Amino acid sequence: MLSLPSIQKINLALSLLLLAGCADFNAGWNGYQDPYYGDPYAQSDFDELLAFGANMAKISPSARADVCHTLQKRQKNPPGPGIYLHLMVGRLLSDTCGDIHKILSGVNAIPAGSMSDVRLQRFVAIHTEALKRLQNVSRKVGTLERKQKSVQSVLDSKDSNESKDTNGSKKDETRLLREKLEAIRSMEKHLDESSDTN
């Protein structure tokens, strides 16, 4: 049978082992749970973004819209760099991923230290320029559409006036406006074709 001093020594040794084990277990815990743990959209590493883009390219437009809506919901909470980077990739594949200007502002606000991977920096640079181009093409198409509507309304008013006035100069003016309208339509078609190939 064990004596009382030996039992106390064993208890002391077991207590020290238990304390050492607990200290080692909690050594990596900083008092709060990582908010990005388990959230793939919050990750901002190169491989994750590349895989996300490849997977999104394979799904249907309606499924892309669902992914974009999910990303936009997560953007309402304080978004981390990963959310903006995923929105940037998603916006190239779907218009439903939000406003290009807001996405680029969010990406530009990401601290440089969080993108230390050179591959990620290059990836972001390429996608940023692609989004800027897409934004410029959208602006040009919008301008052309407004001009086309303006010219069409002028032509419609000229047609109604032409039936009342048979002056030859009015016919020439109408013909000139129609030619301008056709030129605008051909430029718009050319822009659409160039944006489809990019």
Side-chain angles (χ1 to χ4, degrees), residues 140-156 177 180-189 192:
K140 289 177 184 176
V141 168
T143 303
L144 285 175
E145 287 174 348
R146 284 190 298 278
K147 286 181 181 178
Q148 181 179 356
K149 287 179 184 176
S150 165
V151 169
Q152 187 64 44
S153 66
V154 169
L155 286 176
D156 291 343
L177 287 173
K180 286 181 180 180
L181 178 62
E182 290 303 316
I184 290 172
R185 285 181 180 159
S186 69
M187 285 190 298
E188 183 180 14
K189 183 178 178 183
D192 287 342

PDB file of all heavy atoms in Angstrom, residues 140-156 177 180-189 192:
ATOM      1  N   LYS A 140     -19.016  53.496 -72.926  1.00  0.00           N
ATOM      2  CA  LYS A 140     -19.115  53.831 -74.350  1.00  0.00           C
ATOM      3  C   LYS A 140     -20.426  53.325 -74.945  1.00  0.00           C
ATOM      4  O   LYS A 140     -21.074  54.029 -75.722  1.00  0.00           O
ATOM      5  CB  LYS A 140     -17.931  53.255 -75.121  1.00  0.00           C
ATOM      6  CG  LYS A 140     -16.624  53.965 -74.835  1.00  0.00           C
ATOM      7  CD  LYS A 140     -15.477  53.318 -75.570  1.00  0.00           C
ATOM      8  CE  LYS A 140     -14.151  53.968 -75.224  1.00  0.00           C
ATOM      9  NZ  LYS A 140     -13.017  53.292 -75.862  1.00  0.00           N
ATOM     10  N   VAL A 141     -20.805  52.122 -74.583  1.00  0.00           N
ATOM     11  CA  VAL A 141     -22.058  51.568 -75.097  1.00  0.00           C
ATOM     12  C   VAL A 141     -23.233  52.401 -74.593  1.00  0.00           C
ATOM     13  O   VAL A 141     -24.158  52.705 -75.356  1.00  0.00           O
ATOM     14  CB  VAL A 141     -22.211  50.083 -74.691  1.00  0.00           C
ATOM     15  CG1 VAL A 141     -23.613  49.582 -74.946  1.00  0.00           C
ATOM     16  CG2 VAL A 141     -21.205  49.229 -75.443  1.00  0.00           C
ATOM     17  N   GLY A 142     -23.194  52.801 -73.334  1.00  0.00           N
ATOM     18  CA  GLY A 142     -24.262  53.641 -72.797  1.00  0.00           C
ATOM     19  C   GLY A 142     -24.363  54.965 -73.527  1.00  0.00           C
ATOM     20  O   GLY A 142     -25.458  55.440 -73.836  1.00  0.00           O
ATOM     21  N   THR A 143     -23.216  55.577 -73.819  1.00  0.00           N
ATOM     22  CA  THR A 143     -23.196  56.836 -74.570  1.00  0.00           C
ATOM     23  C   THR A 143     -23.761  56.644 -75.965  1.00  0.00           C
ATOM     24  O   THR A 143     -24.564  57.459 -76.443  1.00  0.00           O
ATOM     25  CB  THR A 143     -21.760  57.388 -74.656  1.00  0.00           C
ATOM     26  OG1 THR A 143     -21.253  57.559 -73.330  1.00  0.00           O
ATOM     27  CG2 THR A 143     -21.705  58.689 -75.388  1.00  0.00           C
ATOM     28  N   LEU A 144     -23.355  55.559 -76.627  1.00  0.00           N
ATOM     29  CA  LEU A 144     -23.871  55.299 -77.981  1.00  0.00           C
ATOM     30  C   LEU A 144     -25.373  55.054 -77.971  1.00  0.00           C
ATOM     31  O   LEU A 144     -26.085  55.500 -78.873  1.00  0.00           O
ATOM     32  CB  LEU A 144     -23.142  54.103 -78.594  1.00  0.00           C
ATOM     33  CG  LEU A 144     -21.721  54.359 -79.061  1.00  0.00           C
ATOM     34  CD1 LEU A 144     -21.072  53.069 -79.525  1.00  0.00           C
ATOM     35  CD2 LEU A 144     -21.710  55.379 -80.191  1.00  0.00           C
ATOM     36  N   GLU A 145     -25.865  54.348 -76.956  1.00  0.00           N
ATOM     37  CA  GLU A 145     -27.303  54.091 -76.885  1.00  0.00           C
ATOM     38  C   GLU A 145     -28.078  55.387 -76.698  1.00  0.00           C
ATOM     39  O   GLU A 145     -29.137  55.580 -77.302  1.00  0.00           O
ATOM     40  CB  GLU A 145     -27.611  53.116 -75.750  1.00  0.00           C
ATOM     41  CG  GLU A 145     -27.205  51.690 -76.060  1.00  0.00           C
ATOM     42  CD  GLU A 145     -27.390  50.753 -74.878  1.00  0.00           C
ATOM     43  OE1 GLU A 145     -27.622  51.226 -73.743  1.00  0.00           O
ATOM     44  OE2 GLU A 145     -27.288  49.536 -75.099  1.00  0.00           O
ATOM     45  N   ARG A 146     -27.552  56.292 -75.850  1.00  0.00           N
ATOM     46  CA  ARG A 146     -28.219  57.582 -75.659  1.00  0.00           C
ATOM     47  C   ARG A 146     -28.227  58.389 -76.958  1.00  0.00           C
ATOM     48  O   ARG A 146     -29.227  59.003 -77.320  1.00  0.00           O
ATOM     49  CB  ARG A 146     -27.549  58.370 -74.533  1.00  0.00           C
ATOM     50  CG  ARG A 146     -27.908  57.871 -73.150  1.00  0.00           C
ATOM     51  CD  ARG A 146     -27.425  58.817 -72.074  1.00  0.00           C
ATOM     52  NE  ARG A 146     -25.971  58.979 -72.042  1.00  0.00           N
ATOM     53  CZ  ARG A 146     -25.121  58.162 -71.452  1.00  0.00           C
ATOM     54  NH1 ARG A 146     -25.571  57.094 -70.825  1.00  0.00           N
ATOM     55  NH2 ARG A 146     -23.822  58.408 -71.475  1.00  0.00           N
ATOM     56  N   LYS A 147     -27.096  58.382 -77.664  1.00  0.00           N
ATOM     57  CA  LYS A 147     -27.032  59.100 -78.940  1.00  0.00           C
ATOM     58  C   LYS A 147     -27.998  58.503 -79.946  1.00  0.00           C
ATOM     59  O   LYS A 147     -28.659  59.221 -80.689  1.00  0.00           O
ATOM     60  CB  LYS A 147     -25.606  59.063 -79.502  1.00  0.00           C
ATOM     61  CG  LYS A 147     -24.645  59.967 -78.777  1.00  0.00           C
ATOM     62  CD  LYS A 147     -23.266  59.897 -79.395  1.00  0.00           C
ATOM     63  CE  LYS A 147     -22.297  60.784 -78.659  1.00  0.00           C
ATOM     64  NZ  LYS A 147     -20.935  60.693 -79.217  1.00  0.00           N
ATOM     65  N   GLN A 148     -28.075  57.185 -79.967  1.00  0.00           N
ATOM     66  CA  GLN A 148     -28.968  56.520 -80.912  1.00  0.00           C
ATOM     67  C   GLN A 148     -30.419  56.887 -80.626  1.00  0.00           C
ATOM     68  O   GLN A 148     -31.187  57.179 -81.550  1.00  0.00           O
ATOM     69  CB  GLN A 148     -28.786  55.001 -80.829  1.00  0.00           C
ATOM     70  CG  GLN A 148     -29.652  54.240 -81.794  1.00  0.00           C
ATOM     71  CD  GLN A 148     -29.428  52.737 -81.707  1.00  0.00           C
ATOM     72  OE1 GLN A 148     -28.580  52.277 -80.970  1.00  0.00           O
ATOM     73  NE2 GLN A 148     -30.215  52.001 -82.451  1.00  0.00           N
ATOM     74  N   LYS A 149     -30.794  56.916 -79.350  1.00  0.00           N
ATOM     75  CA  LYS A 149     -32.166  57.294 -79.009  1.00  0.00           C
ATOM     76  C   LYS A 149     -32.443  58.737 -79.394  1.00  0.00           C
ATOM     77  O   LYS A 149     -33.518  59.062 -79.884  1.00  0.00           O
ATOM     78  CB  LYS A 149     -32.402  57.088 -77.508  1.00  0.00           C
ATOM     79  CG  LYS A 149     -32.514  55.643 -77.102  1.00  0.00           C
ATOM     80  CD  LYS A 149     -32.710  55.502 -75.615  1.00  0.00           C
ATOM     81  CE  LYS A 149     -32.717  54.037 -75.209  1.00  0.00           C
ATOM     82  NZ  LYS A 149     -32.820  53.884 -73.749  1.00  0.00           N
ATOM     83  N   SER A 150     -31.456  59.588 -79.176  1.00  0.00           N
ATOM     84  CA  SER A 150     -31.610  60.996 -79.525  1.00  0.00           C
ATOM     85  C   SER A 150     -31.796  61.167 -81.027  1.00  0.00           C
ATOM     86  O   SER A 150     -32.695  61.887 -81.491  1.00  0.00           O
ATOM     87  CB  SER A 150     -30.385  61.768 -79.048  1.00  0.00           C
ATOM     88  OG  SER A 150     -30.315  63.013 -79.642  1.00  0.00           O
ATOM     89  N   VAL A 151     -30.949  60.505 -81.796  1.00  0.00           N
ATOM     90  CA  VAL A 151     -31.048  60.607 -83.257  1.00  0.00           C
ATOM     91  C   VAL A 151     -32.359  60.001 -83.736  1.00  0.00           C
ATOM     92  O   VAL A 151     -33.015  60.546 -84.632  1.00  0.00           O
ATOM     93  CB  VAL A 151     -29.829  59.931 -83.930  1.00  0.00           C
ATOM     94  CG1 VAL A 151     -30.025  59.789 -85.418  1.00  0.00           C
ATOM     95  CG2 VAL A 151     -28.566  60.708 -83.625  1.00  0.00           C
ATOM     96  N   GLN A 152     -32.771  58.897 -83.140  1.00  0.00           N
ATOM     97  CA  GLN A 152     -34.021  58.244 -83.550  1.00  0.00           C
ATOM     98  C   GLN A 152     -35.210  59.158 -83.276  1.00  0.00           C
ATOM     99  O   GLN A 152     -36.116  59.265 -84.107  1.00  0.00           O
ATOM    100  CB  GLN A 152     -34.195  56.914 -82.815  1.00  0.00           C
ATOM    101  CG  GLN A 152     -35.374  56.104 -83.309  1.00  0.00           C
ATOM    102  CD  GLN A 152     -35.211  55.669 -84.756  1.00  0.00           C
ATOM    103  OE1 GLN A 152     -34.153  55.225 -85.167  1.00  0.00           O
ATOM    104  NE2 GLN A 152     -36.263  55.823 -85.535  1.00  0.00           N
ATOM    105  N   SER A 153     -35.190  59.849 -82.132  1.00  0.00           N
ATOM    106  CA  SER A 153     -36.313  60.748 -81.844  1.00  0.00           C
ATOM    107  C   SER A 153     -36.328  61.928 -82.822  1.00  0.00           C
ATOM    108  O   SER A 153     -37.395  62.383 -83.238  1.00  0.00           O
ATOM    109  CB  SER A 153     -36.255  61.246 -80.401  1.00  0.00           C
ATOM    110  OG  SER A 153     -35.134  62.066 -80.205  1.00  0.00           O
ATOM    111  N   VAL A 154     -35.136  62.417 -83.189  1.00  0.00           N
ATOM    112  CA  VAL A 154     -35.070  63.495 -84.186  1.00  0.00           C
ATOM    113  C   VAL A 154     -35.592  62.988 -85.522  1.00  0.00           C
ATOM    114  O   VAL A 154     -36.352  63.678 -86.214  1.00  0.00           O
ATOM    115  CB  VAL A 154     -33.619  64.031 -84.316  1.00  0.00           C
ATOM    116  CG1 VAL A 154     -33.482  64.950 -85.514  1.00  0.00           C
ATOM    117  CG2 VAL A 154     -33.212  64.753 -83.044  1.00  0.00           C
ATOM    118  N   LEU A 155     -35.202  61.768 -85.902  1.00  0.00           N
ATOM    119  CA  LEU A 155     -35.677  61.211 -87.173  1.00  0.00           C
ATOM    120  C   LEU A 155     -37.184  61.040 -87.176  1.00  0.00           C
ATOM    121  O   LEU A 155     -37.846  61.316 -88.179  1.00  0.00           O
ATOM    122  CB  LEU A 155     -35.003  59.867 -87.445  1.00  0.00           C
ATOM    123  CG  LEU A 155     -33.550  59.913 -87.874  1.00  0.00           C
ATOM    124  CD1 LEU A 155     -33.004  58.498 -88.006  1.00  0.00           C
ATOM    125  CD2 LEU A 155     -33.415  60.651 -89.188  1.00  0.00           C
ATOM    126  N   ASP A 156     -37.728  60.569 -86.067  1.00  0.00           N
ATOM    127  CA  ASP A 156     -39.170  60.381 -85.991  1.00  0.00           C
ATOM    128  C   ASP A 156     -39.896  61.713 -86.127  1.00  0.00           C
ATOM    129  O   ASP A 156     -40.909  61.814 -86.823  1.00  0.00           O
ATOM    130  CB  ASP A 156     -39.565  59.714 -84.677  1.00  0.00           C
ATOM    131  CG  ASP A 156     -39.107  58.264 -84.624  1.00  0.00           C
ATOM    132  OD1 ASP A 156     -38.794  57.690 -85.690  1.00  0.00           O
ATOM    133  OD2 ASP A 156     -39.041  57.706 -83.506  1.00  0.00           O
ATOM    134  N   LEU A 177     -29.174  62.419 -91.259  1.00  0.00           N
ATOM    135  CA  LEU A 177     -29.404  61.904 -89.908  1.00  0.00           C
ATOM    136  C   LEU A 177     -29.516  60.382 -89.901  1.00  0.00           C
ATOM    137  O   LEU A 177     -29.011  59.715 -88.995  1.00  0.00           O
ATOM    138  CB  LEU A 177     -30.648  62.540 -89.294  1.00  0.00           C
ATOM    139  CG  LEU A 177     -30.503  63.997 -88.864  1.00  0.00           C
ATOM    140  CD1 LEU A 177     -31.856  64.562 -88.434  1.00  0.00           C
ATOM    141  CD2 LEU A 177     -29.505  64.123 -87.721  1.00  0.00           C
ATOM    142  N   LYS A 180     -26.078  58.970 -90.109  1.00  0.00           N
ATOM    143  CA  LYS A 180     -25.408  59.071 -88.809  1.00  0.00           C
ATOM    144  C   LYS A 180     -25.897  57.983 -87.865  1.00  0.00           C
ATOM    145  O   LYS A 180     -25.120  57.379 -87.125  1.00  0.00           O
ATOM    146  CB  LYS A 180     -25.634  60.452 -88.191  1.00  0.00           C
ATOM    147  CG  LYS A 180     -24.842  61.542 -88.859  1.00  0.00           C
ATOM    148  CD  LYS A 180     -25.082  62.879 -88.177  1.00  0.00           C
ATOM    149  CE  LYS A 180     -24.298  63.989 -88.843  1.00  0.00           C
ATOM    150  NZ  LYS A 180     -24.525  65.288 -88.207  1.00  0.00           N
ATOM    151  N   LEU A 181     -27.197  57.739 -87.900  1.00  0.00           N
ATOM    152  CA  LEU A 181     -27.766  56.688 -87.051  1.00  0.00           C
ATOM    153  C   LEU A 181     -27.181  55.332 -87.416  1.00  0.00           C
ATOM    154  O   LEU A 181     -26.809  54.545 -86.541  1.00  0.00           O
ATOM    155  CB  LEU A 181     -29.292  56.671 -87.177  1.00  0.00           C
ATOM    156  CG  LEU A 181     -30.012  55.589 -86.387  1.00  0.00           C
ATOM    157  CD1 LEU A 181     -29.774  55.771 -84.896  1.00  0.00           C
ATOM    158  CD2 LEU A 181     -31.499  55.611 -86.693  1.00  0.00           C
ATOM    159  N   GLU A 182     -27.080  55.060 -88.692  1.00  0.00           N
ATOM    160  CA  GLU A 182     -26.495  53.794 -89.135  1.00  0.00           C
ATOM    161  C   GLU A 182     -25.029  53.688 -88.711  1.00  0.00           C
ATOM    162  O   GLU A 182     -24.556  52.622 -88.334  1.00  0.00           O
ATOM    163  CB  GLU A 182     -26.641  53.631 -90.657  1.00  0.00           C
ATOM    164  CG  GLU A 182     -28.055  53.391 -91.106  1.00  0.00           C
ATOM    165  CD  GLU A 182     -28.677  52.168 -90.443  1.00  0.00           C
ATOM    166  OE1 GLU A 182     -28.010  51.116 -90.348  1.00  0.00           O
ATOM    167  OE2 GLU A 182     -29.835  52.288 -90.000  1.00  0.00           O
ATOM    168  N   ALA A 183     -24.295  54.790 -88.773  1.00  0.00           N
ATOM    169  CA  ALA A 183     -22.894  54.788 -88.338  1.00  0.00           C
ATOM    170  C   ALA A 183     -22.797  54.496 -86.844  1.00  0.00           C
ATOM    171  O   ALA A 183     -21.941  53.718 -86.403  1.00  0.00           O
ATOM    172  CB  ALA A 183     -22.233  56.121 -88.662  1.00  0.00           C
ATOM    173  N   ILE A 184     -23.684  55.072 -86.061  1.00  0.00           N
ATOM    174  CA  ILE A 184     -23.687  54.806 -84.617  1.00  0.00           C
ATOM    175  C   ILE A 184     -24.023  53.349 -84.359  1.00  0.00           C
ATOM    176  O   ILE A 184     -23.401  52.690 -83.514  1.00  0.00           O
ATOM    177  CB  ILE A 184     -24.681  55.751 -83.906  1.00  0.00           C
ATOM    178  CG1 ILE A 184     -24.148  57.182 -83.928  1.00  0.00           C
ATOM    179  CG2 ILE A 184     -24.933  55.292 -82.472  1.00  0.00           C
ATOM    180  CD1 ILE A 184     -25.143  58.217 -83.431  1.00  0.00           C
ATOM    181  N   ARG A 185     -24.990  52.824 -85.074  1.00  0.00           N
ATOM    182  CA  ARG A 185     -25.351  51.407 -84.901  1.00  0.00           C
ATOM    183  C   ARG A 185     -24.187  50.492 -85.261  1.00  0.00           C
ATOM    184  O   ARG A 185     -23.936  49.501 -84.582  1.00  0.00           O
ATOM    185  CB  ARG A 185     -26.565  51.067 -85.750  1.00  0.00           C
ATOM    186  CG  ARG A 185     -27.848  51.608 -85.191  1.00  0.00           C
ATOM    187  CD  ARG A 185     -29.033  51.236 -86.050  1.00  0.00           C
ATOM    188  NE  ARG A 185     -30.265  51.760 -85.490  1.00  0.00           N
ATOM    189  CZ  ARG A 185     -31.372  51.953 -86.166  1.00  0.00           C
ATOM    190  NH1 ARG A 185     -31.411  51.673 -87.460  1.00  0.00           N
ATOM    191  NH2 ARG A 185     -32.450  52.434 -85.579  1.00  0.00           N
ATOM    192  N   SER A 186     -23.460  50.810 -86.310  1.00  0.00           N
ATOM    193  CA  SER A 186     -22.328  49.964 -86.692  1.00  0.00           C
ATOM    194  C   SER A 186     -21.212  50.053 -85.656  1.00  0.00           C
ATOM    195  O   SER A 186     -20.550  49.052 -85.359  1.00  0.00           O
ATOM    196  CB  SER A 186     -21.813  50.316 -88.085  1.00  0.00           C
ATOM    197  OG  SER A 186     -21.190  51.578 -88.088  1.00  0.00           O
ATOM    198  N   MET A 187     -21.004  51.255 -85.078  1.00  0.00           N
ATOM    199  CA  MET A 187     -19.993  51.372 -84.012  1.00  0.00           C
ATOM    200  C   MET A 187     -20.408  50.563 -82.790  1.00  0.00           C
ATOM    201  O   MET A 187     -19.587  49.905 -82.164  1.00  0.00           O
ATOM    202  CB  MET A 187     -19.796  52.844 -83.613  1.00  0.00           C
ATOM    203  CG  MET A 187     -19.006  53.652 -84.627  1.00  0.00           C
ATOM    204  SD  MET A 187     -18.542  55.288 -84.044  1.00  0.00           S
ATOM    205  CE  MET A 187     -20.114  56.068 -83.780  1.00  0.00           C
ATOM    206  N   GLU A 188     -21.688  50.612 -82.450  1.00  0.00           N
ATOM    207  CA  GLU A 188     -22.182  49.848 -81.312  1.00  0.00           C
ATOM    208  C   GLU A 188     -21.997  48.349 -81.557  1.00  0.00           C
ATOM    209  O   GLU A 188     -21.561  47.615 -80.677  1.00  0.00           O
ATOM    210  CB  GLU A 188     -23.642  50.174 -81.073  1.00  0.00           C
ATOM    211  CG  GLU A 188     -24.231  49.476 -79.868  1.00  0.00           C
ATOM    212  CD  GLU A 188     -25.697  49.832 -79.647  1.00  0.00           C
ATOM    213  OE1 GLU A 188     -26.337  50.399 -80.569  1.00  0.00           O
ATOM    214  OE2 GLU A 188     -26.189  49.518 -78.560  1.00  0.00           O
ATOM    215  N   LYS A 189     -22.296  47.917 -82.774  1.00  0.00           N
ATOM    216  CA  LYS A 189     -22.125  46.497 -83.117  1.00  0.00           C
ATOM    217  C   LYS A 189     -20.653  46.109 -83.015  1.00  0.00           C
ATOM    218  O   LYS A 189     -20.315  45.060 -82.482  1.00  0.00           O
ATOM    219  CB  LYS A 189     -22.645  46.239 -84.530  1.00  0.00           C
ATOM    220  CG  LYS A 189     -22.582  44.790 -84.948  1.00  0.00           C
ATOM    221  CD  LYS A 189     -23.153  44.605 -86.345  1.00  0.00           C
ATOM    222  CE  LYS A 189     -23.048  43.173 -86.788  1.00  0.00           C
ATOM    223  NZ  LYS A 189     -23.531  42.970 -88.145  1.00  0.00           N
ATOM    224  N   ASP A 192     -19.759  45.755 -79.381  1.00  0.00           N
ATOM    225  CA  ASP A 192     -20.289  44.512 -78.848  1.00  0.00           C
ATOM    226  C   ASP A 192     -19.440  43.331 -79.258  1.00  0.00           C
ATOM    227  O   ASP A 192     -19.140  42.448 -78.465  1.00  0.00           O
ATOM    228  CB  ASP A 192     -21.731  44.284 -79.327  1.00  0.00           C
ATOM    229  CG  ASP A 192     -22.719  45.217 -78.646  1.00  0.00           C
ATOM    230  OD1 ASP A 192     -22.360  45.787 -77.590  1.00  0.00           O
ATOM    231  OD2 ASP A 192     -23.837  45.378 -79.177  1.00  0.00           O
TER     232      ASP A 192
END
